[in-house]
Amino acid sequence: RYLKWNPTLKDYLLVWQDRPQIDHCACKAAGSWSCNLVEGLSASVVIVSINCTFTFGDVFDRINFSETLQLD
């Protein structure tokens, strides 16, 4: 579906607002998509298609998550 919408799309990220969590989906060579759930403030995401790595500390800087937050 995403290749029809934008054939050059290689990666997309879904950033959660209420917890330190990102869904990273990447297009494989055969056109299928692989999605990984990454969570935790010490985590990082690698986007191979643009040679980029970033930490959750950068993404979620200045956000205070509730102490009662529980990741499922």
Side-chain angles (χ1 to χ4, degrees), residues 3-4 6 8 11 18 25 29 31 45 48 51 62 70:
L3 287 177
K4 292 178 183 178
N6 183 349
T8 62
D11 292 88
D18 61 344
C25 297
V45 172
V48 175
N51 192 26
R62 299 182 296 170
Q70 294 182 6

Side-chain angles (χ1 to χ4, degrees), residues 10-72:
K10 300 295 180 200
D11 292 88
Y12 70 90
L13 304 172
L14 301 174
V15 180
W16 293 64
Q17 296 181 36
D18 61 344
R19 64 185 68 206
Q21 185 169 308
I22 295 177
D23 293 317
H24 174 212
C25 297
C27 184
K28 300 197 176 249
S32 63
W33 287 88
S34 170
C35 295
N36 295 308
L37 175 66
V38 185
E39 57 190 356
L41 288 172
S42 62
S44 62
V45 172
V46 178
I47 305 173
V48 175
S49 65
I50 59 172
N51 192 26
C52 175
T53 301
F54 61 88
T55 65
F56 277 35
D58 294 331
V59 175
F60 296 106
D61 186 32
R62 299 182 296 170
I63 297 176
N64 294 319
F65 296 104
S66 170
E67 290 184 16
T68 61
L69 175 70
Q70 294 182 6
L71 297 177
D72 296 330

